[in-house]
Amino acid sequence: MKAVVTAKEMKMIDTFTIQNLGIPSLVLMERAALSMADHMTACLPPQTRILCICGAGNNGGDGVALARIMYCRGYDSAIFMAGDPEKWTEETKKQIQIARNTGVPEYNRLDMDAFDVLVDGIFGIGLTSRVRPPFDEWIEKMNAWRSGKKNRQIWAVDIASGLSSDTGQVLGCAVKADVTVTFGYKKRGMILYPGRDYSGRCYVEDIGFPQKALDMNPTEGFTYDVQNFEQLPERKNDSNKGSYGKILVIAGSRNMSGAAYFSAYAAYASGAGLVKILTCEANRIILQSQLPQAMLSVWEDITEDGYKELTEWADAVVIGPGIGTDPDMAKRIEAILPIIKCPLILDADGLNLLSSHKEWYKKLPESVIITPHMGEMSRLTGIPIDVLKADRAQKAKDFACEHNLICVLKDSSTVVSDGKKVYFNQTGNHGMATGGSGDVLTGIIAAIASVGKDTFHAACAGVFLHGMGGDWAAGAQSSRGMTCVDIIHGICQVMKKMEN
């Protein structure tokens, strides 16, 4: 688990490190520049010509220090100071003095054609307003320069200038970086789209913020790393099929058997011991042929008295994939919700029904995970999709807090919140924009939640594993041609790799 920070959180960690722990700001700045110089030295041949475009703040000071270090390593490195000299911070003034003493060339005019690499050190993580002239013109020139000839690169210091470090939104215009070297912790805006596209390849460098600084200034956001992912439940040799969760999947309707199949199949692939599908009679033969290991019940054979027996059997319940929204289904779901005592994963048509039956919020069980995509979230909240996308983490957190549930807000950059913490997912790819992918996710989450895993971390782990399965499928099948079944196969491969 790794921290993901907002600009405010990063500033608090930075200030605590300097003021309370006594590590000088110039030391952190020098370490930041050294870490970035090491990456550049490893990637760029000695004849590379580098221009560091530096603003007045400490981000610019990092850029000046980088220019000097690369110059001292034999690179043709130079500086262009952007902005008002009267606004230079004390640290930036000091770095400029050192660079001038060292003999680093300094340009008074932004002439980029003579260079192979530009370093963006204009704005840091504190930018919150729209980029103003002349900075917007310089940023547009940098992007045009980058696309004008092959092999040109832009490296961003800490964050690409023009991005909101909290939301990933472009504040008027933003530098399109090929590489970003960020310091201390990853910023939210580098994970969320469109910021992820503008950040290029990202490196997170430890420049000396002690663990105590993070402990004293904890962050709301976190992410998982492939190398240290240990969220899947343990399995023991002395066990049986009842040891690994019993899942009730309420899914499917006439001509919609696939949703039930994908969700139930994914649950098995994610480690569930037993799965029972509750669906309509029309799906009986189809599902028993496709997934014979799953038990099956049909609405036509069950009275309301039988609902309690089904829900008491389950360790986790999925409601929604492909069930439809007709009045009869609404009555069935309304009758089932109050008697569920285990974790509930509410998805798809379950969410569509919830959006038109607001009184159901009071009937939901104690542990609820909802998995809306942006359209479903818009129906639940009444907030337009573009507004949701502009600050998805905060919107998910607010909704989870308001309704005391866990919100998995699905999109190109999925976030999960319990109303207090926010998980930022970094796995997955555009090939997962395919029918049935969401149904697969519900099955994965249910499998993890059914074995006693904390529901919030079960949701986070499920999203992570879902994306990992998608990444495997993209590699095996291509992102254009993959299907949700390929994602399920990918999940099995990923878990095999984790076990090994």
Side-chain angles (χ1 to χ4, degrees):
M1 190 180 298
K2 294 188 176 182
V4 176
V5 298
T6 63
K8 181 179 179 181
E9 290 169 342
M10 190 67 245
K11 181 64 176 176
M12 291 174 66
I13 292 169
D14 187 70
T15 300
F16 184 89
T17 299
I18 296 166
Q19 295 184 358
N20 295 72
L21 302 182
I23 299 177
S25 178
L26 276 171
V27 171
L28 296 174
M29 183 175 285
E30 196 71 10
R31 290 193 63 173
L34 279 167
S35 68
M36 190 162 182
D38 288 343
H39 280 289
M40 296 188 83
T41 303
C43 295
L44 303 175
Q47 66 272 22
T48 303
R49 296 161 297 176
I50 304 167
L51 178 63
C52 296
I53 303 171
C54 307
N58 281 357
N59 189 257
D62 293 337
V64 174
L66 172 65
R68 184 241 310 157
I69 293 169
M70 297 303 289
Y71 179 81
C72 291
R73 291 182 179 182
Y75 285 81
D76 185 358
S77 176
I79 301 165
F80 172 77
M81 293 306 300
D84 187 353
E86 294 185 0
K87 296 182 179 179
W88 290 349
T89 64
E90 290 303 315
E91 292 87 349
T92 298
K93 289 178 183 178
K94 186 65 175 177
Q95 291 292 356
I96 292 170
Q97 179 187 346
I98 297 171
R100 287 171 176 171
N101 292 342
T102 308
V104 181
E106 189 174 346
Y107 286 74
N108 295 322
R109 185 169 59 90
L110 185 56
D111 184 2
M112 300 174 286
D113 289 338
F115 296 92
D116 306 305
V117 171
L118 300 182
V119 173
D120 163 31
I122 301 174
F123 299 124
I125 61 173
L127 184 69
T128 57
S129 60
R130 189 178 180 88
V131 177
R132 294 175 294 188
F135 300 102
D136 56 350
E137 298 170 11
W138 289 335
I139 288 173
E140 295 295 352
K141 285 181 180 179
M142 291 169 68
N143 289 336
W145 169 90
R146 175 181 174 271
S147 60
K149 189 181 293 185
K150 287 184 178 180
N151 301 322
R152 286 176 170 176
Q153 296 180 19
I154 297 178
W155 287 57
V157 179
D158 209 16
I159 192 167
S161 293
L163 285 183
S164 165
S165 61
D166 291 354
T167 68
Q169 296 300 298
V170 175
L171 300 174
C173 63
V175 170
K176 192 72 180 292
D178 298 282
V179 181
T180 298
V181 181
T182 196
F183 311 124
Y185 310 96
K186 209 162 195 179
K187 284 67 183 179
R188 291 186 179 193
M190 298 167 61
I191 298 175
L192 302 172
Y193 286 99
R196 192 187 296 192
D197 279 339
Y198 280 80
S199 300
R201 189 168 68 255
C202 294
Y203 298 100
V204 182
E205 286 299 322
D206 175 12
I207 63 170
F209 297 112
Q211 181 63 36
K212 185 175 181 179
L214 181 62
D215 293 341
M216 297 301 293
N217 300 277
T219 66
E220 289 182 353
F222 67 97
T223 189
Y224 293 146
D225 192 293
V226 175
Q227 281 71 31
N228 63 6
F229 183 69
E230 298 174 350
Q231 299 300 314
L232 294 180
E234 292 184 7
R235 294 177 73 94
K236 300 178 181 180
N237 289 327
D238 185 15
S239 59
N240 57 64
K241 61 188 177 183
S243 304
Y244 300 116
K246 300 185 290 292
I247 299 170
L248 174 63
V249 176
I250 302 175
S253 56
R254 182 178 293 275
N255 299 322
M256 286 289 288
S257 65
Y261 168 71
F262 298 137
S263 191
Y265 185 11
Y268 271 125
S270 303
L274 292 167
V275 178
K276 181 178 291 186
I277 302 172
L278 175 58
T279 188
C280 65
E281 177 63 39
N283 292 333
R284 184 195 293 270
I285 295 176
I286 299 170
L287 290 172
Q288 287 182 332
S289 300
Q290 288 181 315
L291 200 67
Q293 63 267 46
M295 297 174 281
L296 192 133
S297 297
V298 296
W299 292 111
E300 289 82 352
D301 291 345
I302 299 176
T303 64
E304 284 195 22
D305 293 337
Y307 295 164
K308 185 177 181 181
E309 182 179 348
L310 280 172
T311 58
E312 286 181 345
W313 171 85
D315 297 312
V317 177
V318 171
I319 295 179
I323 61 174
T325 58
D326 64 71
D328 287 341
M329 183 58 67
K331 290 179 182 178
R332 291 165 176 165
I333 302 305
E334 185 174 17
I336 288 174
L337 288 176
I339 60 175
I340 297 174
K341 305 301 180 185
C342 59
L344 166 66
I345 298 87
L346 200 59
D347 183 40
D349 285 332
L351 297 173
N352 292 329
L353 286 170
L354 181 63
S355 67
S356 57
H357 295 81
K358 303 293 186 184
E359 70 278 8
W360 285 9
Y361 285 108
K362 296 180 180 179
K363 301 182 179 184
L364 295 176
E366 183 177 341
S367 297
V368 180
I369 301 169
I370 64 168
T371 59
H373 56 56
M374 284 293 174
E376 292 160 347
M377 189 67 169
S378 182
R379 287 190 284 275
L380 287 168
T381 62
I383 300 173
I385 291 175
D386 58 340
V387 177
L388 291 172
K389 282 178 172 284
D391 196 359
R392 67 195 74 198
Q394 190 61 48
K395 294 297 187 293
K397 181 186 171 189
D398 290 345
F399 192 80
C401 182
E402 179 184 358
H403 297 288
N404 192 30
L405 46 74
I406 294 151
C407 180
V408 177
L409 185 51
K410 299 183 295 191
D411 200 37
S412 52
S413 43
T414 296
V415 296
V416 185
S417 181
D418 63 351
K420 298 176 183 177
K421 292 283 190 178
V422 183
Y423 165 72
F424 293 84
N425 191 56
Q426 297 187 82
T427 61
N429 58 80
H430 58 78
M432 300 176 73
T434 184
S437 180
D439 305 326
V440 169
L441 177 61
T442 62
I444 300 170
I445 294 174
I448 300 173
S450 69
V451 289
K453 189 74 177 175
D454 168 81
T455 48
F456 176 47
H457 288 95
C460 299
V463 170
F464 180 92
L465 183 57
H466 183 241
M468 285 285 287
D471 288 339
W472 182 91
Q477 306 292 339
S478 89
S479 57
R480 291 180 183 273
M482 59 189 274
T483 69
C484 66
V485 175
D486 295 321
I487 298 173
I488 296 174
H489 294 162
I491 293 163
C492 296
Q493 295 300 317
V494 168
M495 291 198 297
K496 178 181 178 182
K497 185 176 181 179
M498 288 179 177
E499 289 176 356
N500 292 337

